[in-house]
Amino acid sequence: AQTTFSGPVRSLGGFISAGSTSFVSLTANTTITVAAHAGKVLLCNDADGVFTLPSIVTTTPTDPTDPTQTNNLGMTFTFVVVTAATDMDISTDGTDKYVGGAYIGIDDSAAGKTFISGSSNDVITQNGSTKGGLAGSVIRVTAIASAKYFVEGQLLGSGTLVTPFADA
């Protein structure tokens, strides 16, 4: 069932997201949607998949309690690499851009690096080595403002590290 709340929700015992529908396996190029993917763990099982995020909609609804409003600020997508990447992309619609960064670690070495997205970056590419994307890599993106996705990542890589952020 789907339930919509218009005010704050308080739980003294916590919220539990569990069960077979709390994960979605991405096995081919996928256009991500709010209804099917937001708030779920997205298991990336396509080494060269292209996963395209939905356009950010900031339209203020006439009725902020209307469950059919199109405003999607706050939607969050968590991508977990299961099948090591070869050329895996997490792309925006081209208008929306990334703000934030991703850390790429190498084994237990202190040689890891943090990369910060540029103001025009709209794609994150993982290659299973220098740009991260080994199994266990995680990227979380959240719509925070008009044309702005906040990104945070803990990527696993190897070799001489380079930024996973680029312009499409």
Side-chain angles (χ1 to χ4, degrees):
Q2 185 175 10
T3 303
T4 302
F5 298 94
S6 64
V9 176
R10 182 177 176 184
S11 170
L12 300 177
F15 291 97
I16 298 171
S17 177
S20 61
T21 60
S22 62
F23 291 88
V24 177
S25 181
L26 304 176
T27 58
N29 292 354
T30 304
T31 299
I32 305 299
T33 66
V34 176
H37 304 99
K40 297 185 180 190
V41 177
L42 307 177
L43 303 175
C44 301
N45 285 299
D46 184 358
D48 64 350
V50 176
F51 310 122
T52 306
L53 296 166
S55 298
I56 298 172
V57 178
T58 60
T59 306
T60 302
T62 306
D63 177 3
T65 65
D66 180 1
T68 63
Q69 64 177 284
T70 58
N71 186 304
N72 58 17
L73 286 174
M75 63 182 169
T76 298
F77 304 98
T78 302
F79 296 87
V80 177
V81 176
V82 177
T83 301
T86 56
D87 184 22
M88 184 183 297
D89 293 331
I90 301 172
S91 301
T92 73
D93 62 2
T95 300
D96 298 334
K97 307 300 180 193
Y98 291 118
V99 59
Y103 174 81
I104 304 177
I106 302 174
D107 300 325
D108 58 0
S109 168
K113 282 178 103 171
T114 299
F115 294 95
I116 306 301
S117 62
S119 62
S120 63
N121 294 156
D122 56 4
V123 66
I124 300 167
T125 299
Q126 298 173 82
N127 63 5
S129 59
T130 60
K131 295 180 180 183
L134 293 174
S137 295
V138 177
I139 293 179
R140 182 174 298 112
V141 293
T142 303
I144 60 167
S146 177
K148 289 192 190 302
Y149 269 112
F150 171 69
V151 61
E152 54 188 327
Q154 283 284 96
L155 307 179
L156 308 176
S158 64
T160 303
L161 303 177
V162 296
T163 185
F165 295 102
D167 300 348

